[in-house]
């Protein structure tokens, strides 16, 4: 019975992590010939997320101090950081549940995925070889470069 419950737990965690991946799928959009004109009403007051009971919330006054392009950049940064936080939380849960890939993370240093899964998440990060950490940072760098090259740029309402 314990083995069955553990297997069901792992399957549910895997399913939830796959469902969360849809947050990274691009929204379908119609082709535009040119970037639309940006107005404050379109970029701030009509942004998704403004709803009752709070409504429009800008206690620091960024919408009056920052350009329209800056507001779109803030919005894109908020979305990106929230998605990264969701991925980090999912990874933390999966690591904490002991779910791991089979085999070696680094044969040269003798580090297996299983050995890392037996550690707390912070300890597993510390035990990861420097080359593995560099691969993660490089992957993030490539993802950033690719998203910045998408036209029209998100600061132009793209």
């Amino acid at each position: 019975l314990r083995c069955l419950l553990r297997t069901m737990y792992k399957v549910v965690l895997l399913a939830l992590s796959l469902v969360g991946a849809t947050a990274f799928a691009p929204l379908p959009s119609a082709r535009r010939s040119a970037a639309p004109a940006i107005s404050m009403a379109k970029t701030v007051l009509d942004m998704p997320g403004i709803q009752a009971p709070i409504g429009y919330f800008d206690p620091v006054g960024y919408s009056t101090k920052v350009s329209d392009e800056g507001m779109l950049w803030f919005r894109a940064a908020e979305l990106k950081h929230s998605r990264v936080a969701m991925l980090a939380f999912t990874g933390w849960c999966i690591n904490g549940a002991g779910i791991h890939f089979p085999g070696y993370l680094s044969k040269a240093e003798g580090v297996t995925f299983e050995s890392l899964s037996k550690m707390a998440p912070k300890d597993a990060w510390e035990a990861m070889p420097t080359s593995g950490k560099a691969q993660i940072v490089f992957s993030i760098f490539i993802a950033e470069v690719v998203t910045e090259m998408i036209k029209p740029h998100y600061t132009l309402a793209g």
Side-chain angles (χ1 to χ4, degrees), residues 25-41:
L27 294 172
S29 62
R31 274 268 195 218
R32 296 182 213 140
S33 58
I38 300 172
S39 70
M40 190 58 85

Side-chain angles (χ1 to χ4, degrees), residues 3 5 10-11 13 15 26 30-34 39 50-51 54-55 61 75 77 84 87 109 117 127 141-142 152 157:
C3 183
L5 287 175
K10 289 180 179 180
V11 168
L13 276 179
R31 274 268 195 218
R32 296 182 213 140
S33 58
S39 70
I50 298 174
Q51 53 191 345
I54 295 174
R75 180 178 181 209
V84 168
L87 273 178
E109 298 187 34
S117 72
F141 171 76
I142 293 298

